[in-house]
Amino acid sequence: MLVENLEDIAAYIVDDGKGILAADESNPTCSKRFESIGVVSTEEKRRDYREMLFRSDGVPDNIGGVILFDETIRQRAADGTLLREVIAEQGALFGIKVDQGVRPIDGCPGETVTVGLDGLDERLQEYASMGAKFTKWRAVIKIGSAIPSEKCIELNMKALASYAALAQANGMVPIVEPEVLMEGEHTIDSCHEVTERALNALFQCLEQDGVNLKGSLLKPNMITAGAGCSVQASVDDVAERTLICLKAIVPSAVPGICFLSGGQSDLQATAHLDAMNKIGGFPWKISFSYGRALQSSALSAWGGSPDRVRSAQDAFTHRASMNRLAALGKWNKELEAG
Ligand code: 5MM
């Protein structure tokens, strides 16, 4: 697979309804996911689980890129093949999460900034030499009483832009992920307003840093009410509000918008994606970069047992194919039964 320049890499990842499998859980997050199925998270178990996903039949047709964590990009499958080669053999590109998590911001209680710029250039050089074609950095914006602050948005969006410019200088597509969290009791209006602030700041910073938008991908949240809000929007409302927000801000040069699922159920994440693509009328590909909404059914089916690898792969293949149909605006609920 020879996909070399930034624009071709980005286009390949979102070609023909394909999307991204976010498998870049840090070890603490992976432990949490495994705890939910009663499995102790060891290096070998994480390897077995991810090998199961990467070898699934759902990858070749539906997944254009897989985001890895540092441990996984260096890991070998049970038969000794590098996991990154397993992904490449399946026809998908592999990328790497390069942020190093969040730290509290001085003077901004409850708010964080994503770190990882120190030594980033050297780390990027190594990942590029391993064959990684893209990278990811996630900024976290929380909605609450009097937050997010301007300082939180500014620090996070500047860091995202610095990261993106460095990733491109090293020949890799940056996925820029400004995540406005769903946790909270905020309304859909509040999510819309905060997401607008974050995205406006982000695109200003990307421009200032000379990031080539054609060689980058945006990974935003959808516009939803907070998970704890008593009034939840319909699928159509979420789709319409999200498109209104994105159309007002995201330049047409961006080739693809790959949503995070953010705690939505599998079906909600698919239905929202499908509804947006059915509405249409936008210049970008609209697809998925889901972690939980692609993996949760496979994780439960697997349960840590080698005997259940096949049924876990079937569960993953089903979700991946449903999301590809949604990215083409061709999904409907009846297909879920199949
Ligand atoms: C897969 O989870 C990613 C890593 O999270 P941690 O660094 O906290 O372990 C995360 O960045 C993910 O890529 C996005 O949030 C999207 O995942 P969801 O589950 O929201 O679709």
Side-chain angles (χ1 to χ4, degrees), residues 19-94:
I20 298 171
L21 164 61
D24 59 311
E25 297 86 357
S26 58
N27 290 348
T29 302
C30 209
S31 297
K32 260 197 256 164
R33 304 278 186 265
F34 280 16
E35 256 169 45
S36 73
I37 54 160
V39 170
V40 176
S41 174
T42 61
E43 190 172 341
E44 193 182 351
K45 276 289 178 201
R46 291 191 291 275
R47 188 277 309 275
D48 290 347
Y49 172 66
R50 286 170 169 148
E51 180 176 358
M52 175 277 290
L53 292 176
F54 303 160
R55 288 198 191 277
S56 127
D57 292 342
V59 173
D61 291 340
N62 307 300
I63 303 295
V66 180
I67 315 174
L68 302 175
F69 182 57
D70 183 76
E71 175 182 275
T72 324
I73 202 169
R74 304 171 191 281
Q75 231 168 7
R76 288 181 185 273
D79 69 1
T81 314
L82 283 161
L83 286 180
R84 57 184 199 255
E85 282 170 12
V86 171
I87 294 167
E89 282 162 11
Q90 290 275 60
L93 303 178
F94 60 89

Side-chain angles (χ1 to χ4, degrees), residues 22 24 26 29 97 136 138 177 179 219 261-262 291-292:
D24 59 311
S26 58
T29 302
K97 182 235 295 288
K136 193 203 83 172
R138 172 174 172 252
E177 180 180 6
E179 176 173 8
K219 176 167 175 168
S261 56
R292 285 163 286 181

